[in-house]
Amino acid sequence: AGLDWQVEPVKLYTRKVRAINEQPLTGSSDRDGLHWFTPLLDTKAMIRSDTGAVLGTVSDGYQAIQNQILFEFGDALQAASDEPVRYHSAGSLEGGRQTFVLAELGDGWTIGDDRHRKYLFTKTRHDGNGSMNSMGTDPRVICANTSRFAEDGADVVVRVTHTGNVMDKVSQAIAALNIVNKQAARYQEMMEQFATTHVNITTEVALSEYLYPKATTHGRTKRNEFMNLVIEELGHPAR
């Protein structure tokens, strides 16, 4: 997955051209004889160890959640689960500002000819713009687009902040596992109901009447256009 690198905090300084006989500001130092360097208070940069790229700036109280922690969370899930937990995909986005791990929980289920799988998506940011988040997802996350799909569709997100000892919060990983299992059970039940429900024009029109009740004169035209479209589409032989 290319995640075998660390994020490292680096102190930030301002640099000002030194004027002749100029007295330094408090805390400044003359490192090259040409500039005054002044440390920025309560601010540091997060550097990617393998490339030296600056991923973001954070406060001094910020604790980095290293990439390996994502996998240690997965290991904690495995230890707490009654079913297999498999690492399915992992990677980085935005040059390493975001990193993620997708774990597959159990063996999933089949409805009709469709195979469904339970996934736990865990991601963190190294730029100071977010916590480490774990959530259940049906889409398989492998890129930025599928990451957004997973986040947009998440009903519940377990968040771990960049403060204190992250692995002391393993109980939150267990909470994430329980949430995913409950969500998956509800989703499976709903899909099974859908798979055994037969829809014809009569039931579709009734549903549309429920969703789009008879409107006032102002909204009636658009409603009738929609209803006619529904009937036309369902009644078309190719549908």
Side-chain angles (χ1 to χ4, degrees):
L3 294 179
D4 53 343
W5 46 269
Q6 302 279 309
V7 283
E8 302 170 346
V10 176
K11 191 64 182 174
L12 292 175
Y13 294 81
T14 59
R15 182 179 64 180
K16 179 180 180 295
V17 176
R18 176 181 181 182
I20 298 175
N21 298 324
E22 180 184 13
Q23 296 300 313
L25 297 173
T26 303
S28 297
S29 60
D30 179 9
R31 298 188 178 187
D32 59 6
L34 300 174
H35 303 88
W36 295 119
F37 291 87
T38 306
L40 293 177
L41 299 179
D42 193 34
T43 306
K44 57 189 177 184
M46 299 305 294
I47 304 295
R48 180 170 168 164
S49 63
D50 59 343
T51 64
V54 178
L55 302 180
T57 58
V58 299
S59 67
D60 283 341
Y62 182 93
Q63 297 292 323
I65 297 179
Q66 302 293 350
N67 297 330
Q68 70 185 48
I69 294 294
L70 297 175
F71 294 93
E72 291 177 11
F73 243 56
D75 292 346
L77 288 177
Q78 174 66 85
S81 178
D82 294 329
E83 54 187 359
V85 178
R86 308 176 187 88
Y87 292 117
H88 186 82
S89 64
S92 62
L93 305 169
E94 299 179 35
R97 291 177 177 84
Q98 299 184 58
T99 57
F100 70 90
V101 168
L102 186 73
E104 183 178 348
L105 311 178
D107 298 318
W109 66 91
T110 299
I111 298 177
D113 295 328
D114 295 330
R115 184 68 176 163
H116 290 263
R117 301 185 185 279
K118 285 191 298 183
Y119 294 120
L120 178 68
F121 176 49
T122 303
K123 63 173 289 189
T124 190
R125 297 195 67 100
H126 296 310
D127 57 2
N129 289 328
S131 54
M132 184 174 83
N133 299 333
S134 292
M135 67 208 75
T137 174
D138 195 53
R140 182 171 64 97
V141 178
I142 57 172
C143 63
N145 285 336
T146 46
S147 173
R148 282 192 290 271
F149 287 148
E151 292 180 275
D152 290 345
D155 294 328
V156 180
V157 179
V158 176
R159 305 182 191 278
V160 176
T161 58
H162 288 263
T163 56
N165 188 328
V166 174
M167 287 315 293
D168 286 344
K169 305 173 183 178
V170 168
S171 60
Q172 291 171 290
I174 309 308
L177 175 66
N178 292 333
I179 289 169
V180 171
N181 284 332
K182 291 179 181 178
Q183 287 178 330
R186 289 197 299 267
Y187 183 67
Q188 180 179 358
E189 181 181 1
M190 181 174 65
M191 290 296 104
E192 288 173 346
Q193 289 177 354
F194 285 164
T196 56
T197 300
H198 299 282
V199 179
N200 54 31
I201 288 183
T202 301
T203 53
E204 180 63 23
V205 169
L207 175 61
S208 300
E209 290 276 7
Y210 174 78
L211 294 175
Y212 296 87
K214 291 183 179 180
T216 61
T217 302
H218 177 71
R220 187 171 298 162
T221 302
K222 281 294 183 183
R223 174 187 177 278
N224 290 342
E225 288 177 0
F226 170 78
M227 293 291 292
N228 289 335
L229 179 62
V230 167
I231 294 171
E232 179 183 347
E233 289 292 307
L234 282 176
H236 195 286
R239 307 297 193 267

